[in-house]
């Protein structure tokens, strides 16, 4: 049976709840989200449940990580549906501040993310990681979690935030959770709701292409040639534009030129119609 989830909208009320938990020596996990929750998000909550005594899920569509031309206004929102799903997986508290609560008048401080943010998504969305790092830093100091769970679906985001936590000595541990996929391989994403039925049929090709590339890289294939072939096959499948297909060091995200030893990650971003999809796999 689902338990009731406490929805908190003011920082004062949030601090009251977390202080009670701290007094009782309960550990706290935070799962930051922008809502429109799917099973990928819920898998993070389930993992958080196993790792801590109390689970806070934040729902905040963060304006500062969207550029003016991006999809902030049409980003899907369904708070009532989200809360019902979170009750079913045993979250304890939903932290759902308004934009005014998060960024009160006069707000003007920002975190400048480090080297992990420089290219890939950073090249195509220059403001993005600054917005993500700043809001996550705020969420960490608002909720004071012992751990925070993020999806490997946004692999570069995880690298950027790990670097921030390390560099700023933030007192929590980040956990990266595996990407949840649809049966046909498409990574679950709130943005999949934008796809037309025709685009939805093409979309799994994104994962299939990087999975095949990763296998070839592991087998020692020529990376530049295989990356070029992967881009061609995405365009042939119906993707309109491929922002990047890259093979990178799994930790530093530095470019990798040769196959063989070492942990690597294949990362991709490509457009299907008006929707930009990202994905990544280990190689
Ligand atoms: P978002 O609401 O898109 O900001 O995502 C919130 C968190 O859920 C981030 O840590 C994402 O990486 C994670 N996430 C999104 N999609 C998936 C997925 N398919 N599998 C696992 N985690 C995911």
């Amino acid at each position: 049976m689902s338990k009731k989830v406490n929805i908190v909208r003011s920082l004062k009320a949030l601090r009251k709840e977390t202080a009670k938990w701290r007094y009782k020596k309960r550990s706290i996990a935070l799962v930051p989200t922008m809502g429109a929750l799917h099973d990928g998000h819920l898998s993070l909550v389930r993992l958080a449940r196993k790792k801590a005594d109390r689970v806070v899920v934040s729902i905040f569509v963060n304006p500062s990580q969207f550029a003016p031309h991006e999809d902030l206004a049409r980003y899907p929102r369904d708070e009532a549906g989200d809360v019902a799903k979170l009750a079913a997986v045993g979250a304890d508290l939903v932290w759902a501040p308004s934009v005014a609560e998060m960024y009160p008048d006069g707000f003007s401080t920002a975190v400048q993310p480090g080297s992990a943010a420089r290219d890939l998504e950073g090249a195509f969305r220059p403001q993005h990681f600054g917005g993500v790092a700043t809001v996550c830093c705020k969420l960490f100091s608002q909720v004071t979690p012992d751990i925070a769970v993020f999806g490997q679906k946004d692999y570069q985001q995880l690298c950027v935030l790990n670097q921030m936590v390390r560099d700023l000595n933030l007192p929590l541990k980040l956990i990266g959770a595996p990407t949840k996929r649809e049966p046909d391989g498409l990574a679950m994403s709130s943005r999949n709701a934008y796809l037309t039925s025709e685009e939805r049929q093409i979309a799994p090709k994104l994962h299939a292409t990087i999975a095949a590339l990763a296998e070839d890289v592991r087998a020692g294939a020529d990376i530049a040639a295989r990356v070029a072939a992967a881009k061609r096959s995405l365009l042939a499948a119906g993707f309109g534009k491929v922002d990047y297909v890259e093979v990178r060091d799994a930790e530093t995200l530095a470019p990798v030129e040769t196959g063989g030893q070492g942990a690597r990650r294949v990362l991709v971003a490509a457009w299907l119609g008006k929707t930009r999809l990202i994905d990544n796999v280990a190689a």
Side-chain angles (χ1 to χ4, degrees):
M1 203 187 70
S2 298
K3 62 175 181 175
K4 205 172 168 309
V5 188
N6 189 7
I7 306 173
V8 173
R9 301 182 195 279
S10 80
L11 185 54
K12 197 170 160 204
L14 175 69
R15 295 237 193 261
K16 211 167 137 192
E17 291 302 315
T18 52
K20 278 193 252 171
W21 294 339
R22 288 261 166 250
Y23 183 73
K24 291 186 184 161
K25 303 246 182 300
R26 304 286 187 251
S27 60
I28 302 174
L30 169 67
V31 181
T33 81
M34 298 202 299
L37 301 182
H38 50 64
D39 211 41
H41 297 115
L42 301 182
S43 72
L44 307 188
V45 180
R46 288 192 194 98
L47 182 60
R49 259 268 64 96
K50 290 193 193 138
K51 302 262 178 198
D53 301 319
R54 296 288 177 266
V55 178
V56 175
V57 178
S58 60
I59 298 180
F60 182 66
V61 183
N62 177 35
S64 75
Q65 69 191 65
F66 289 77
H69 64 276
E70 291 181 343
D71 57 344
L72 174 64
R74 69 171 184 140
Y75 196 83
R77 288 166 168 85
D78 174 20
E79 190 186 274
D82 290 345
V83 170
K85 289 175 192 165
L86 291 173
V89 292
D92 296 285
L93 187 151
V94 172
W95 170 224
S98 64
V99 172
E101 183 76 4
M102 188 63 91
Y103 301 116
D105 279 349
F107 178 88
S108 72
T109 302
V111 176
Q112 185 183 323
S115 53
R118 241 171 246 150
D119 62 355
L120 300 166
E121 287 302 286
F124 290 89
R125 308 182 68 192
Q127 296 99 324
H128 179 66
F129 287 124
V132 169
T134 302
V135 83
C136 285
C137 195
K138 283 177 67 77
L139 288 168
F140 297 161
S141 76
Q142 291 165 344
V143 178
T144 63
D146 300 280
I147 62 166
V149 184
F150 290 87
Q152 292 177 347
K153 159 77 175 30
D154 298 282
Y155 192 82
Q156 190 181 7
Q157 167 173 281
L158 188 56
C159 296
V160 168
L161 295 175
N162 269 322
Q163 193 170 45
M164 175 180 82
V165 165
R166 211 169 40 236
D167 289 351
L168 301 185
N169 311 110
L170 302 182
L172 80 163
K173 185 169 179 280
L174 302 193
I175 295 177
T179 302
K180 267 261 181 193
R181 299 182 180 279
E182 302 289 355
D184 60 13
L186 176 65
M188 290 180 181
S189 165
S190 310
R191 290 189 167 99
N192 293 349
Y194 300 155
L195 299 172
T196 64
S197 57
E198 196 188 327
E199 288 164 355
R200 177 62 189 80
Q201 303 238 306
I202 300 170
K205 186 80 184 162
L206 195 66
H207 174 245
T209 302
I210 58 170
L213 170 53
E215 206 178 304
D216 289 353
V217 169
R218 275 194 296 272
D222 177 84
I223 290 183
R226 275 302 280 111
V227 163
K231 286 182 184 165
R232 280 197 302 275
S233 86
L234 287 173
L235 294 171
F239 284 84
K241 185 171 174 278
V242 179
D243 281 350
Y244 59 81
V245 175
E246 295 271 345
V247 181
R248 295 295 180 98
D249 180 278
E251 202 182 321
T252 63
L253 295 182
V256 173
E257 260 104 48
T258 51
Q261 298 302 305
R264 290 167 301 245
R265 207 84 194 172
V266 179
L267 303 104
V268 65
W271 290 84
L272 254 184
K274 294 194 173 89
T275 306
R276 186 172 183 276
L277 298 177
I278 61 170
D279 202 351
N280 67 86
V281 292

